[in-house]
Amino acid sequence: MADYILRLRRYSPETGDAPYWEDFQVDLDGHRSVLDGILQAKDRTDASIGIRCSCRAAICGSCGVRINGKPRLACHMHLDKAVEDAPDGVISVEPMGNMPVIKDLIVDMDAVHWKKIQRVTPWLLPDGPDPEQEHIVAPESMIDVTQTMACIQCGACVSDCLSMEVDPLFIGPAALAKAYRFVGDPRDGQRYERLKDLSEDPHGIYDCTHCFNCIEACPKGVAPMSQIMRLRRIAGSDHEIDDRNNGHRHEKAFVKNIERNGLLHEADLLPDSYGGKFHPRAIPVLTSSLPVVLAALMRGKVTPKKALLHQHKASDDVKRIYKHVHDKEKRYELNLYVAGEEEDAGDEAGEAVQASAAGSQLPEERSPNT
Amino acid sequence: MKVAYWPGCVSRGFTPELHGSMALVAPLLDIELVELDRASCCGAGVIAEHNQELADTLNARTFALAQQVEGADMMMNICSTCQGAQSECQERLDANTEYRDHVNETLAAEGLTYDRGIANKHFLWLMVEEIGLEAIAAMVTQPLTGLRVGPFYGCYIVRPTDRLGIDRAHPRDSYLHQLIETLGGTVADYAGQYKCCGFPIITMNQEASLKQAGRHLGDALDADADCLVTPCPLCHLNLDLQQPLAEKVVGRPLGMPVLHLPQMVGLALGLEPKQLGLNKHVVKPTSVIDWSTSVVAGVPHAA
């Protein structure tokens, strides 16, 4: 047994008092969880501590909190590991972000998380009449969506989503990962409509800022951001959905820019993302960014010559790679969550630290305790 | 040490001062740069969003070119986005022999092959892990005494931690902190140091993008930072080039100078602000530099 100090963020909106931090000393073995610590404090010191929990085995997704500032399941973080990350040896526990606090460590999942899940029509919409018995689906086509199905709805990714922090209307990582679960399902008959909807929504798939916070937050390896990128890939490349947010146009412009120049030619990227320099859509954008361009010119960051002339040309080899990959009938997309990694991967990989799932198709857990 | 050097696109495009300052700082640190001038853009995650195999093949080509540089100890980059995008491709290429062979088949026409396990390090990692902070401290001629520097890590160089090799033994997410102190400066901690600059959505949701940049700059201002330092030129675009627009979106004057990593190192190693291209920034680093006497934060030039 050892002593640990938990510093809990307390807040009770009805009282009208501001949130405050309160320390609790607990006496438990190091391999016991932070949740065990909170429950001991609740049991021995202050029964009014608010924490939501159920299974205590990292499967129900109820006890999402921030431990030392990082999103965790309280039941999935050992006390001795948590204390290693605590700057002054005090383990801080606070409620998740991006959601209103109901009391202490309990946030309002209904107001944000579940509302967003409902937004993506989280059920199957098959075409035509139901089959007499079950839908027959090839197993390999379902493996593709197993990663999103590993979600336990804990809200950790929502808590740390940096787009949602500035745009609360963003549909967000958990709900968009859920959307992929149906877009990737061969039985669904509304895949195009789903993608069109999520592309056109100004707070949809193109509102993700690609910050990797959700990938880092997820305790189950769902990698919501990767699912959002797959939604973009299918919406853009397969369905050619030209959305009002310039998401697909920007991607097309970028990819073509590199095919042409080998290196990015920034001066072309902005106008091309809006359909080209002379497109009516581009004019207000280019006008509004004029002060920025002028400042860059004045400081000598950009010279007129550099802005207008293309100094780089893609080599024939780059063009050949583009053609070779684009000529394929089917995209080759390796998903390590599904494929696993070879046993000896990482031996010579220097700093690249790899988890090993060695060909297994079991979900790869991302343990905070290693 | 000798490195196969990948400068990326933006350092040769809209942030030429980054490329220039790296070229000046490298010899002072005894780094020999062999520039990979045939390599192409890393894709910045956007090519992977379009077609994963295309991004993986282009980066495998870059890795293969780096592996051909004779006598190079490793590959080095100066852009967090390159680091992140290339690490993602490398993770797939290194994890699966069949996939790597498949990609190498495409490269074969050019006589190139990528061998698994390239070490590709950002200049920040290279300084801490290969040169060492003690050695760097011994080279400082003009310590950044009294200068409060806010580290801006951004996203691609710190997440996901397992892909980027960050763990308790390799706290790469604290290297900027350590380096600022090594150079004699003071770390100004603030809320946005590990957050997104907003650049990836500047063409899709300009308001949200600039709100991100503006908020972090404001947080740094509230933490009394004199300037920020970033290892990522794309972050620099949103934090510096777009700062006048970000000011409008968040409704407060900011005036926060943002340094590229090699610029901060160069200042401490005695280079002149103008040599390092500090005059090319949109937000002039007047709080960092007294332009008349080239004094860093009020501390006289070491003799």
Side-chain angles (χ1 to χ4, degrees):
Chain A
M1 302 283 256
D3 283 340
Y4 294 95
I5 300 171
L6 297 179
R7 180 165 294 163
L8 309 186
R9 191 172 163 90
R10 309 292 307 271
Y11 180 47
S12 193
E14 301 97 89
T15 64
D17 296 335
Y20 60 98
W21 294 94
E22 190 173 1
D23 288 1
F24 294 90
Q25 191 163 333
V26 298
D27 180 27
L28 284 167
D29 282 334
H31 71 273
R32 299 288 293 276
S33 70
V34 172
L35 177 62
D36 288 332
I38 296 168
L39 293 177
Q40 190 183 80
K42 191 174 163 73
D43 184 41
R44 294 188 183 171
T45 318
D46 183 351
S48 76
I49 295 170
I51 173 84
R52 186 190 281 131
C53 65
S54 179
C55 77
R56 305 193 199 186
I59 196 63
C60 77
S62 301
C63 64
V65 289
R66 275 182 177 156
I67 300 175
N68 301 318
K70 294 191 172 148
R72 307 278 190 208
L73 296 173
C75 71
H76 199 42
M77 182 89 212
H78 296 174
L79 284 162
D80 55 359
K81 294 296 174 188
V83 86
E84 280 179 31
D85 291 336
D88 51 359
V90 176
I91 301 166
S92 78
V93 189
E94 56 192 312
M96 292 194 288
N98 281 333
M99 289 175 272
V101 175
I102 295 175
K103 186 176 190 305
D104 298 335
L105 304 172
I106 304 170
V107 296
D108 192 347
M109 296 278 285
D110 289 335
V112 181
H113 174 72
W114 290 112
K115 213 173 209 171
K116 289 176 187 295
I117 293 283
Q118 284 161 16
R119 160 72 184 79
V120 302
T121 322
W123 56 85
L124 199 68
L125 297 167
D127 255 352
D130 283 343
E132 265 178 43
Q133 290 176 323
E134 68 271 33
H135 285 276
I136 309 289
V137 175
E140 54 274 17
S141 63
M142 290 306 285
I143 284 176
D144 183 50
V145 292
T146 51
Q147 190 173 16
T148 70
M149 288 161 77
C151 175
I152 57 170
Q153 309 292 344
C154 66
C157 58
V158 175
S159 156
D160 275 39
C161 174
L162 293 178
S163 273
M164 214 182 274
E165 203 174 88
V166 289
D167 179 8
L169 294 175
F170 178 41
I171 296 175
L176 289 173
K178 177 60 87 182
Y180 183 74
R181 190 251 165 275
F182 296 101
V183 167
D185 191 318
R187 296 168 296 175
D188 200 86
Q190 306 277 320
R191 279 177 279 174
Y192 173 79
E193 289 76 6
R194 289 177 188 272
L195 289 164
K196 176 90 178 152
D197 168 37
L198 297 173
S199 304
E200 293 285 15
D201 190 328
H203 313 285
I205 52 177
Y206 293 110
D207 205 18
C208 164
T209 186
H210 216 270
C211 75
F212 299 92
N213 253 5
C214 58
I215 297 186
E216 189 61 23
C218 179
K220 294 289 165 182
V222 171
M225 191 192 100
S226 306
Q227 312 308 331
I228 298 172
M229 294 307 129
R230 296 166 105 189
L231 289 170
R232 288 186 185 181
R233 199 174 296 145
I234 300 171
S237 295
D238 294 349
H239 294 282
E240 291 288 331
I241 298 172
D242 266 335
D243 54 285
R244 72 183 84 175
N245 308 301
N246 289 308
H248 180 44
R249 266 186 299 273
H250 172 72
E251 178 211 289
K252 260 200 309 205
F254 189 104
V255 172
K256 274 227 161 4
N257 195 309
I258 307 304
E259 184 174 19
R260 213 163 41 219
N261 306 312
L263 299 176
L264 185 66
H265 187 76
E266 296 109 323
D268 278 356
L269 182 61
L270 185 66
D272 287 353
S273 295
Y274 293 94
K277 282 188 200 67
F278 305 109
H279 196 284
R281 197 168 32 221
I283 291 163
V285 180
L286 295 177
T287 320
S288 76
S289 57
L290 215 56
V292 176
V293 175
L294 284 176
L297 283 169
M298 270 163 59
R299 295 281 193 271
K301 243 180 169 352
V302 189
T303 59
K305 189 177 141 210
K306 216 158 91 180
L308 296 172
L309 298 177
H310 292 214
Q311 300 189 314
H312 302 280
K313 288 266 176 290
S315 67
D316 289 343
D317 294 301
V318 169
K319 289 188 173 138
R320 181 184 51 77
I321 290 173
Y322 261 83
K323 185 169 173 355
H324 181 80
V325 175
H326 279 155
D327 281 351
K328 293 184 180 177
E329 263 176 45
K330 214 169 167 281
R331 277 193 308 271
Y332 189 158
E333 197 177 313
L334 178 72
N335 183 352
L336 294 180
Y337 180 91
V338 174
E341 292 181 27
E342 289 159 14
E343 249 168 68
D344 60 342
D347 280 0
E348 299 157 36
E351 299 295 337
V353 181
Q354 314 284 6
S356 65
S360 99
Q361 289 177 357
L362 292 173
E364 172 196 321
E365 298 268 338
R366 300 184 75 248
S367 171
N369 300 311
T370 47
Chain B
M1 67 183 305
K2 187 174 176 178
V3 294
Y5 171 45
W6 170 240
C9 305
V10 181
S11 82
R12 288 174 285 180
F14 274 19
T15 63
E17 68 278 5
L18 169 59
H19 191 243
S21 56
M22 188 64 235
L24 289 177
V25 167
L28 301 180
L29 295 170
D30 204 18
I31 305 172
E32 187 189 339
L33 304 174
V34 183
E35 195 164 318
L36 296 169
D37 48 10
R38 284 166 60 205
S40 65
C41 171
C42 72
V46 184
I47 294 184
E49 171 190 324
H50 160 75
N51 187 315
Q52 219 173 58
E53 186 189 346
L54 181 59
D56 291 353
T57 312
L58 292 173
N59 281 313
R61 179 172 173 274
T62 302
F63 299 153
L65 289 168
Q67 286 174 332
Q68 280 194 337
V69 175
E70 229 163 278
D73 298 299
M74 57 182 59
M75 176 173 155
M76 186 188 94
N77 65 76
I78 48 170
C79 170
S80 302
T81 302
C82 292
Q83 180 73 59
Q86 290 177 334
S87 294
E88 181 177 340
C89 296
Q90 188 184 351
E91 185 179 52
R92 283 189 288 268
L93 291 163
D94 284 358
N96 191 307
T97 306
E98 194 190 319
Y99 184 61
R100 192 169 56 255
D101 290 346
H102 171 81
V103 168
N104 272 332
E105 259 174 50
T106 314
L107 298 184
E110 201 182 339
L112 291 172
T113 316
Y114 166 58
D115 291 322
R116 189 178 81 182
I118 190 169
N120 173 26
K121 291 192 183 185
H122 190 282
F123 176 50
L124 175 65
W125 297 355
L126 184 126
M127 274 191 289
V128 178
E129 294 169 4
E130 306 298 325
I131 301 175
L133 292 173
E134 264 178 50
I136 290 173
M139 297 178 210
V140 172
T141 58
Q142 190 171 267
L144 308 176
T145 315
L147 188 70
R148 291 180 54 80
V149 187
F152 189 88
Y153 288 88
C155 306
Y156 277 84
I157 202 169
V158 287
R159 288 183 293 270
T161 45
D162 41 5
R163 181 185 294 156
L164 291 166
I166 299 172
D167 51 31
R168 289 184 172 91
H170 304 89
R172 289 173 164 176
D173 51 356
S174 69
Y175 285 0
L176 272 183
H177 285 74
Q178 296 179 37
L179 188 69
I180 291 166
E181 281 170 5
T182 299
L183 301 178
T186 307
V187 173
D189 277 313
Y190 64 104
Q193 55 192 338
Y194 294 108
K195 291 186 180 176
C196 177
C197 68
F199 185 74
I201 51 169
I202 189 78
T203 56
M204 276 94 92
N205 187 342
Q206 198 187 46
E207 198 195 333
S209 172
L210 295 174
K211 220 184 240 179
Q212 290 186 304
R215 197 176 275 190
H216 309 328
L217 291 161
D219 284 345
L221 200 63
D222 294 341
D224 291 327
D226 295 316
C227 64
L228 298 186
V229 64
T230 180
C232 181
L234 280 74
C235 293
H236 198 271
L237 292 179
N238 235 33
L239 296 173
D240 177 65
L241 186 64
Q242 303 274 12
Q243 198 175 125
L245 291 179
E247 283 180 333
K248 282 188 193 149
V249 171
V250 294
R252 64 182 286 196
L254 295 165
M256 176 62 65
V258 187
L259 306 187
H260 296 286
L261 179 63
Q263 288 178 325
M264 179 177 76
V265 177
L267 284 173
L269 298 187
L271 294 174
E272 294 299 320
K274 205 160 184 182
Q275 284 179 286
L276 295 165
L278 283 163
N279 52 323
K280 287 198 195 301
H281 294 192
V282 167
V283 181
K284 283 201 176 176
T286 38
S287 65
V288 186
I289 313 295
D290 176 343
W291 292 92
S292 55
T293 55
S294 188
V295 161
V296 173
V299 178
H301 212 302

